[in-house]
Amino acid sequence: MNHHQFFQHLWRDYVDIAPQAEAIQQLFIERGETIVNDHVAFRTFAQSPIELERLEPLLEQLGYHAFGQYTFDTKKLRARAYCHEVDELAPKIFLSELEFERLSERTQAIIHTLIAQIPKNAVEDPNLFWHGPLWAMPSYDAYCALRDESEYAAWLSVLGLRANHFTVSINHLETMQTLEAVNHLLKAKGYGLNDVGGEVKGSAAVLLEQSSTLADRIAVTFPGGDTHRVPSCFYEFARRYEESPGKLFQGFIEGNADKIFESTHA
């Protein structure tokens, strides 16, 4: 599998649970735009068979290498960014993991029951990145308990390992060259935006601006037959600025990303 095939599989899985992304992309296409994907992001559990260090070799097989590390102390997360070694237009990858052993004993116990079900040899090929949960669906009570302490953990418990967002590169659009213009179009079409810290996170001063929709909601059937609607995935938009003449900043800003995570909050 090459990285082009990898992202094709990811996109199909992603739009199945985030139909807004496909509809928004169509809005841009109708304006004559060609969409370039800036990055995709994944979530996982630390101290598990699918922890960051175990997933990284799969990304290396696709031609990616790590170039940045990030921490989110309040959310108990660490992350690493990856870029393709040859294809400059290939999407970057942002892989984060929850350091759940820093959470309460009750939350840790719930998460331990999930990761105990993951096969020890789960990391075999890139198909894993659109597999979804590698464990049985938790009870709704367990989901709510996770959500009360970590929205990230709750999301991961029901949706598993898969792309939680794709990102449109504003730098490659022709008819809308600011996030404000994109956000205006989205709101006019009825899409809700993540306004934590403002609709636009970041600035030219930090070389990166980002905005995002609020996650779609999907119906999930929990053990016992109860069905509840939970946040699934969202669509992001990023504008990068030059860090030197002719060279766009390629990294991420922790202050921006911390707020973007909240696009999936219930």
Side-chain angles (χ1 to χ4, degrees):
M1 178 183 299
N2 60 40
H3 66 285
H4 298 292
Q5 295 166 326
F6 175 75
F7 287 107
Q8 288 170 1
H9 284 290
L10 282 180
W11 177 260
R12 287 196 292 269
D13 177 70
Y14 166 70
V15 296
D16 277 348
I17 57 175
Q20 62 166 277
E22 197 163 36
I24 290 170
Q25 188 176 87
Q26 189 59 39
L27 281 177
F28 291 162
I29 291 171
E30 289 170 358
R31 296 173 66 96
E33 298 286 5
T34 298
I35 305 300
V36 173
N37 183 25
D38 182 86
H39 69 273
V40 300
F42 301 94
R43 302 176 177 183
T44 193
F45 289 122
Q47 305 298 318
S48 78
I50 55 170
E51 63 188 355
L52 189 154
E53 277 77 11
R54 297 193 188 195
L55 292 174
E56 188 170 272
L58 294 181
L59 301 181
E60 292 172 345
Q61 290 176 25
L62 296 169
Y64 279 81
H65 69 272
F67 72 92
Q69 299 191 63
Y70 308 89
T71 58
F72 305 90
D73 192 60
T74 301
K75 290 182 171 63
K76 313 296 192 295
L77 307 175
R78 62 187 288 261
R80 196 169 291 173
Y82 303 83
C83 61
H84 200 271
E85 295 176 348
V86 177
D87 186 352
E88 293 184 356
L89 281 181
K92 289 168 282 294
I93 292 174
F94 191 83
L95 176 57
S96 62
E97 66 178 10
L98 176 65
E99 297 176 318
F100 67 90
E101 293 185 349
R102 298 173 58 195
L103 300 175
S104 68
E105 290 186 2
R106 181 189 182 194
T107 297
Q108 289 185 49
I110 295 170
I111 294 174
H112 275 298
T113 64
L114 302 180
I115 64 175
Q117 302 172 54
I118 303 174
K120 301 303 180 186
N121 63 343
V123 179
E124 293 184 331
D125 62 62
N127 295 343
L128 183 66
F129 282 98
W130 53 86
H131 187 284
L134 292 161
W135 47 79
M137 183 68 66
S139 69
Y140 185 63
D141 285 346
Y143 168 80
C144 291
L146 292 177
R147 187 184 62 195
D148 289 345
E149 187 170 1
S150 169
E151 295 264 7
Y152 183 109
W155 186 96
L156 190 50
S157 73
V158 297
L159 289 167
L161 184 58
R162 54 171 25 113
N164 67 80
H165 69 269
F166 275 63
T167 308
V168 175
S169 170
I170 302 302
N171 300 82
H172 291 86
L173 297 181
E174 297 291 337
T175 65
M176 295 176 290
Q177 298 181 334
T178 68
L179 280 174
E180 288 80 3
V182 170
N183 290 346
H184 178 77
L185 173 66
L186 296 175
K187 289 189 290 185
K189 297 297 183 179
Y191 293 101
L193 299 181
N194 174 351
D195 61 3
V196 177
E199 290 180 354
V200 176
K201 295 88 166 75
S203 66
V206 298
L207 305 180
L208 177 63
E209 293 178 339
Q210 295 165 270
S211 68
S212 62
T213 64
L214 295 173
D216 270 314
R217 287 180 174 260
I218 59 171
V220 171
T221 300
F222 290 86
D226 288 343
T227 298
H228 298 271
R229 297 187 68 80
V230 303
S232 60
C233 303
F234 60 96
Y235 213 5
E236 187 184 324
F237 313 89
R239 181 183 181 186
R240 297 181 179 275
Y241 291 84
E242 290 186 346
E243 60 180 356
S244 61
K247 181 176 176 56
L248 293 176
F249 172 70
Q250 294 299 304
F252 295 88
I253 303 298
E254 289 168 343
N256 292 15
D258 185 75
K259 299 176 180 66
I260 291 290
F261 277 120
E262 301 194 19
S263 301
T264 59
H265 281 200

